[in-house]
Amino acid sequence: QVQLVESGGGLVQPGGSLRLSCAASGITLDYYAVGWFRQAPGKEREGVSCISSSDGYLYYADSVKGRFTISRDNAKNTVYLEMNSLKPEDTAVYYCATTVIPRAHIAAMRRADFGNWGQGTQVTVSS
């Protein structure tokens, strides 16, 4: 059974940092691009960042560019999202997901293109 498990969320003050992890089992992440999405209450799920299977292409949404960093550790079969300078508007449930679509299509961050999803981890940014 393919399983993706997000962890690392929690409560943090504005300006703080968190590192989210996406650990996979039943699948080798080396062969997939991995995306991070988030969904805030009352809002649609939106793409945040994506890393290609070759680690040669990185995508960031404009809202997080310069603050978030995506990376992968293939030896641990894990993808990370380092989040810095967090803002209250970053509050959401964060999900990771995999896709095999070509790199040129990754930036669209279409939910339908990602086949395997984790259960999400809550990130709350508040004073």
Side-chain angles (χ1 to χ4, degrees):
Q1 183 180 53
V2 175
Q3 186 175 15
L4 302 179
V5 179
E6 301 95 337
S7 62
L11 176 64
V12 64
Q13 293 185 218
S17 299
L18 287 172
R19 188 176 77 160
L20 306 184
S21 298
C22 175
S25 61
I27 188 173
T28 300
L29 289 183
D30 304 45
Y31 303 120
Y32 300 89
V34 179
W36 285 97
F37 295 76
R38 67 186 182 186
Q39 188 164 22
K43 295 187 177 181
E44 297 292 320
R45 191 169 299 187
E46 64 175 343
V48 175
S49 184
C50 193
I51 185 168
S52 68
S53 60
S54 66
D55 203 14
Y57 177 76
L58 306 175
Y59 165 79
Y60 299 97
D62 289 341
S63 59
V64 307
K65 194 172 299 181
R67 299 189 297 120
F68 291 11
T69 303
I70 192 169
S71 63
R72 68 196 307 154
D73 186 339
N74 289 333
K76 295 183 177 180
N77 212 25
T78 300
V79 171
Y80 303 96
L81 185 68
E82 180 73 31
M83 306 186 296
N84 300 310
S85 301
L86 284 163
K87 304 174 181 179
E89 50 263 45
D90 295 318
T91 295
V93 177
Y94 284 72
Y95 302 87
C96 65
T98 65
T99 183
V100 296
I101 63 173
R103 190 184 75 171
H105 299 164
I106 290 175
M109 295 291 285
R110 291 184 56 83
R111 186 175 178 178
D113 290 332
F114 290 76
N116 295 301
W117 291 81
Q119 63 184 335
T121 186
Q122 176 71 49
V123 172
T124 302
V125 185
S126 176
S127 298

